[in-house]
Amino acid sequence: MKTVNNQISRWILPKPINEEEIEHCTLNYTLQKVLIRRGIDLNNALEDYLTPTQLPNPEDHFNDLEKASQRIIEACSKKEKIAICGDYDADGITSTVLLIELLSQLGAKAEPFIPSRQDEGYGLNINMINKIHDKQVKLIITVDNGISSIDAIKKSSKLGIDLIITDHHKIPNIKLDFFSLIHPERTPVNSPYKYLAGVGIAYLLAKNICNKLNYDINKTTANVFFIIGTVADMAPLKGANRKWLKECLPKINSTKNKGFISIMKKLSIDKEVITTEDIGYKIAPLINAVGRIGDPKLIIDLLTNDSTKCIDKLIEECFSMHRERKRLTTLIEQEAHEIAQCQYNENRKFLVLSKRKWHPGIIGIVAARIVDKFNLPTAILAIANDGNFRGSIRSNNRLKVNKALDECKDLLISHGGHSAAAGFSIKEDNINELSENLNKIAIREFRNIDLDKSIKPDAYVRLADINHDFYRQLCLIGPFGIMNPAPIFWTRKCRIIDIYHLNGGHIKMTLDDGSSSIIAVKWNETTKLKKNDLIDIAFYIEMNRWKKINKIQLNIVDMKNHTKIVELKLHNRFYKCQLTDKKEILITNTKGESIRSDYSKNTENIDNNESDFAKKILSFAEIALGKAA
């Protein structure tokens, strides 16, 4: 029996950088190399990257934005009822609350409508339209959903309800009748608004309305909700997302929203500098937990309430659900892992795991964790209240799961999503056939793809060079997230000075690479390590804020035993490289032939005396041996 190896097996080290590409600017030398490897032109794009320029008028990029804004302004002036139809995840909830808060301040009677995850599933539906119609509402704004709700769109049109759809999911190839559509897919090529999540579209709409009314959007919590929803939905941090996040994130602590302040206090981060990691790993999971296993109205009430007494009660209920979500996740993950291991042993390439008793609100989280362990696309299914099964899929970034579902649509009741994450409904009798079809699709798509897990460090750095100024400059190239990930650094030959085993299977170490020492943590680590072991580490650089003391620490992504000889693969040939006692680089091929360079001499002399290929392989060896960033 084979068992999945959770240890990352391959490090793909970065390519050498020509010194001519390095700029004489204030940005750290190593960080310049990180940006060059990410395709940033330091000559022409660095300033805009660090401080994004003004965005174009959104009405020039969204054809229906002006029409939608005017209709909403009219509704506010007439104190109309407006239905905000959202979703039960963090993106949908923050979008909903953002518009509820603003439009209420502008005079409208805005009311949230969120579908029941268990009974109705995702998105706008006919039942919601009927409820809205019964309340004599004549304007609906969807957020983070609506574009695929064909029957509900037809129903709203039939009832004479103005429907403004704001969404970022795939637009179906069918002509639909609605008042207006604000969708990034309809923007021009290379538009900075292409990457907006549901909350980004809601935020853009809110800003446009405020601009027209000369109303200060900072009187609302819109900035905070934009940040949370964007990070939670893992929207690419490019274009408008990056600009707005850089502008809004430093101000998040100054919010006057009592519900959000209570969340930060409960999480003990109200006195700290809030990062995207805080949002992604602390704040967003709390919001998602309520929508997953409870009534999302709880979190909406918390974020729109002004009564301290009500907030205290709501915060306890929300955190209670958060704890229950964690408990359920642990139980389901254990069971899912056993099933996944069996399918992995059978060499299946698309894992499809189902159990009737699993909670439908948890399966997306578990699917992501199974993908992380097995590096295969994973679908997890559980039965819903209507007797059908709900499925959540997460991809391993090698397969577009929404396209895979399109190929299986005849087996499904409904489906939708993105290339990396999707959802669907299916009758129980069709699950086995779906599993076989998805497996065949994965086998076809993975035919010439290496599925081994790997990491790609951005640059080598000595521990002595990791200080507060380096961290400050590292933050300048943030915030970090999708399409702008936090850089992974690596360091060789770190001696373990001290090691501590923490509760939960984690370890904390003091490491020394000969230049300096630093504290490092490794989460969920089972490798047996001891004092004086020598290891190579790949890591993120973080600030540990504990009891008001800020200390830089390393968050280790992967580590391996240090070896004197490093194997390089170049043009499908293997070479062994090492540093000699004289600090020369020695490179040996499989035939036993070798070249070497002397670092006590000027590099220019080496270049003049070696062939082009020798220069190339020596430059790669410099990085592999930690002699260059």
Side-chain angles (χ1 to χ4, degrees), residues 392-511:
S392 281
I393 299 184
R394 297 295 182 268
S395 177
N396 61 345
N397 295 322
R398 300 288 198 279
L399 179 74
K400 294 181 177 180
V401 292
N402 57 335
K403 297 290 181 65
L405 286 181
D406 286 342
E407 291 190 45
C408 304
K409 62 183 179 182
D410 292 344
L411 296 171
L412 307 174
I413 298 170
S414 62
H415 70 286
H418 309 287
S419 59
F424 61 93
S425 294
I426 188 172
K427 293 185 180 298
E428 186 171 13
D429 293 344
N430 291 334
I431 293 176
N432 287 338
E433 188 175 352
L434 174 69
S435 178
E436 293 305 315
N437 288 358
L438 290 174
N439 190 56
K440 289 175 183 176
I441 291 169
I443 291 171
R444 181 192 73 207
E445 296 298 316
F446 296 158
R447 190 167 292 134
N448 299 310
I449 292 178
D450 183 2
L451 289 175
D452 286 341
K453 289 189 76 172
S454 61
I455 57 169
K456 297 180 179 180
D458 290 87
Y460 186 93
V461 64
R462 299 184 315 149
L463 298 186
D465 295 328
I466 302 173
N467 52 38
H468 282 270
D469 185 60
F470 186 91
Y471 181 78
R472 177 188 64 79
Q473 295 198 49
L474 176 63
C475 292
L476 288 178
I477 68 175
F480 300 119
I482 302 300
M483 293 185 75
N484 190 45
I488 297 176
F489 299 97
W490 72 291
T491 304
R492 275 173 55 80
K493 201 176 181 179
C494 296
R495 184 177 301 279
I496 300 177
I497 305 302
D498 281 306
I499 184 167
Y500 312 93
H501 294 274
L502 308 176
N503 292 335
H506 317 303
I507 59 173
K508 183 177 182 180
M509 298 177 285
T510 302
L511 301 177

Side-chain angles (χ1 to χ4, degrees), residues 549-579:
I549 299 175
N550 295 341
K551 283 189 177 181
I552 294 173
Q553 71 176 23
L554 310 184
N555 182 342
I556 296 178
V557 178
D558 192 34
M559 56 190 177
K560 54 188 178 183
N561 293 328
H562 172 75
T563 56
K564 185 177 180 181
I565 298 174
V566 176
E567 189 172 72
L568 282 180
K569 182 182 179 183
L570 195 63
H571 300 318
N572 291 319
R573 294 182 180 178
F574 291 91
Y575 304 88
K576 292 183 178 179
C577 58
Q578 60 183 301
L579 283 176

